[in-house]
Amino acid sequence: SAKTHGRNRFNYFTPAMQSDAQKRMELVQELKNAIIQQQFELYYQPIVNLTNEKVIKAEALIRWKHPTMGFIPPADFIPIAEETGMIIEIGHWVFNQAVKQSARWTEMFNADIQISINKSPVQFKDETIDVQDWLSQITEHHVNPSRICIEITEDLLLDKEQNVEAKLMAYRDAGLEVSLDDFGTGYSSLSYLRKFNIDYLKIDKSFVNSLMPDSNDLSLCEAIIVMAHKLGMKVIAEGIETEQQRALLEFAGCDYGQGYWFSHALCHEEFEQKYLQQRAEPIQINQFTGR
Ligand code: C2E
Ligand code: MG
Ligand code: MG
Ligand code: MG
């Protein structure tokens, strides 16, 4: 019995843990529903030139609007989607949505804006919906491949089994760009930056949060920027919330920035209203416009 063998052994599942497990199971079920009922929306956060604040990219960020639970942030469901494999289907939806948006922005606004799409390491494990499928969607929607960027994280570069190098190469050969997201928070070593061809380093917002003149975080940002530039990469700072942070990063030579100081992520209508100018006459067939 529980008594004779000691509490810890048999009371392993405490009420708190049961409710956590139950909550999780409910969320998994809700997530399955969300895919079927299309409860997701893609939002877009501008990434700007730090000097003139011209918008050069938009990061696509998923939003889940649950009919009764309200807004559920990605941090609360992306990890579960990854663990259950549902991220494959969700990621496919995100990519399709972003590619259609890119086509629309060229068609309606003649916009020269790249859309940056987060791709989780789990998505690289999928063999059925993979690089070729995504590339054919780009072709199908007549999107210039240089208008699409894939955001990956450092842990992916450590994965020896997924043939990551070849997959990233396939994207870049097709003309897409690659960003290394949340740089500085993972466990990868600098030697990976040599091995993989990466176009942009995104300095994680944890370094930007606490930026002050003469701070260690500023020294760190400066060092990252110098290194990235020497290796032929551009640098994007995430999580800029103040004018001081913007100015310090600009002075440090950082190329681009993203954060609430410039704008939150916006629904596509609001993004278009704020940052894109309607063409006098929308063209019907979208063509490769080049740059
Ligand atoms: P991330 O890719 O690093 O995206 C940047 C996150 O920082 C976004 O959070 C954005 O809203 C937030 N952010 C932007 N500016 C600021 C700022 O000035 N201050 C602060 N505190 N935060 C700022 P969000 O949208 O909640 O997304 C969180 C994470 O969820 C993303 O981090 C990404 O890892 C993941 N995620 C979001 N959308 C997708 C998606 O479509 N697919 C995948 N696989 N992951 C996604
Ligand atoms: Mg990202
Ligand atoms: Mg990030
Ligand atoms: Mg992040």
Side-chain angles (χ1 to χ4, degrees):
S1 77
K3 226 172 204 163
T4 53
H5 288 88
R7 293 178 64 95
N8 291 336
R9 186 162 168 197
F10 286 94
N11 287 347
Y12 187 65
F13 260 92
T14 65
M17 284 170 76
Q18 270 173 3
S19 84
D20 272 1
Q22 199 160 357
K23 262 192 214 151
R24 196 195 123 92
M25 266 165 56
E26 278 168 23
L27 202 59
V28 169
Q29 195 50 51
E30 291 296 335
L31 205 47
K32 284 181 186 159
N33 273 340
I35 295 173
I36 296 163
Q37 297 177 6
Q38 310 250 329
Q39 292 168 2
F40 300 116
E41 215 180 305
L42 217 47
Y43 271 47
Y44 300 88
Q45 187 179 31
I47 297 176
V48 306
N49 178 311
L50 276 185
T51 308
N52 59 21
E53 298 197 11
K54 186 180 173 327
V55 179
I56 60 136
K57 297 167 182 273
E59 179 171 5
L61 294 163
I62 195 167
R63 297 289 175 259
W64 179 8
K65 285 172 184 163
H66 189 279
T68 56
M69 295 192 283
F71 168 73
I72 303 170
D76 288 358
F77 71 88
I78 293 287
I80 291 176
E82 289 176 336
E83 286 163 33
T84 55
M86 284 188 271
I87 191 69
I88 304 293
E89 208 169 329
I90 294 171
H92 193 53
W93 178 85
V94 166
F95 188 81
N96 182 259
Q97 204 67 17
V99 167
K100 286 198 278 196
Q101 198 58 251
S102 178
R104 176 181 150 86
W105 285 354
T106 305
E107 211 169 290
M108 304 266 299
F109 305 96
N110 196 22
D112 190 12
I113 288 181
Q114 185 186 59
I115 297 183
S116 206
I117 301 162
N118 292 287
K119 186 165 180 177
S120 111
V122 179
Q123 292 174 264
F124 278 82
K125 288 193 168 60
D126 182 53
E127 292 300 331
T128 52
I129 302 164
D130 218 317
V131 179
Q132 283 315 316
D133 187 273
W134 282 20
L135 294 181
S136 61
Q137 281 196 56
I138 289 175
T139 312
E140 196 181 305
H141 292 280
H142 307 286
V143 167
N144 184 333
S146 72
R147 297 281 160 80
I148 303 291
C149 184
I150 305 287
E151 293 200 7
I152 59 164
T153 47
E154 287 170 281
D155 32 332
L156 177 71
L157 305 182
L158 292 170
D159 194 329
K160 296 213 163 45
E161 278 157 42
Q162 304 310 322
N163 213 1
V164 171
E165 207 177 341
K167 287 177 182 176
L168 289 180
M169 195 80 86
Y171 282 130
R172 290 189 87 255
D173 285 348
L176 280 75
E177 292 193 309
V178 176
S179 282
L180 190 53
D181 205 354
D182 305 336
F183 185 72
T185 59
Y187 294 99
S188 82
S189 82
L190 293 178
S191 67
Y192 285 98
L193 298 179
R194 215 179 35 193
K195 183 170 163 204
F196 296 94
N197 284 311
I198 287 165
D199 301 285
Y200 302 90
L201 277 194
K202 296 188 77 172
I203 301 179
D204 189 69
K205 55 179 171 291
S206 56
F207 301 106
V208 174
N209 274 340
S210 43
L211 265 193
M212 296 293 274
D214 303 316
S215 63
N216 282 337
D217 278 335
L218 182 58
S219 305
L220 201 60
C221 286
E222 285 167 347
I224 292 171
I225 292 161
V226 168
M227 174 197 68
H229 285 166
K230 292 212 179 215
L231 293 172
M233 295 179 278
K234 300 267 195 213
V235 183
I236 301 166
E238 316 186 298
I240 299 179
E241 293 184 359
T242 67
E243 163 57 21
Q244 187 183 46
Q245 289 162 358
R246 186 210 62 79
L248 287 170
L249 285 158
E250 184 194 10
F251 192 70
C254 186
D255 305 282
Y256 308 114
Q258 174 180 5
Y260 300 159
W261 175 251
F262 307 109
S263 172
H264 283 74
L266 307 170
C267 66
H268 77 94
E269 290 97 342
E270 210 178 338
F271 188 94
E272 289 164 8
Q273 218 169 19
K274 275 199 166 150
Y275 298 107
L276 305 175
Q277 284 248 294
Q278 186 98 36
R279 282 181 169 205
E281 267 181 64
I283 53 165
Q284 285 310 306
I285 296 159
N286 169 31
Q287 292 168 329
F288 282 33
T289 50
R291 271 179 186 249

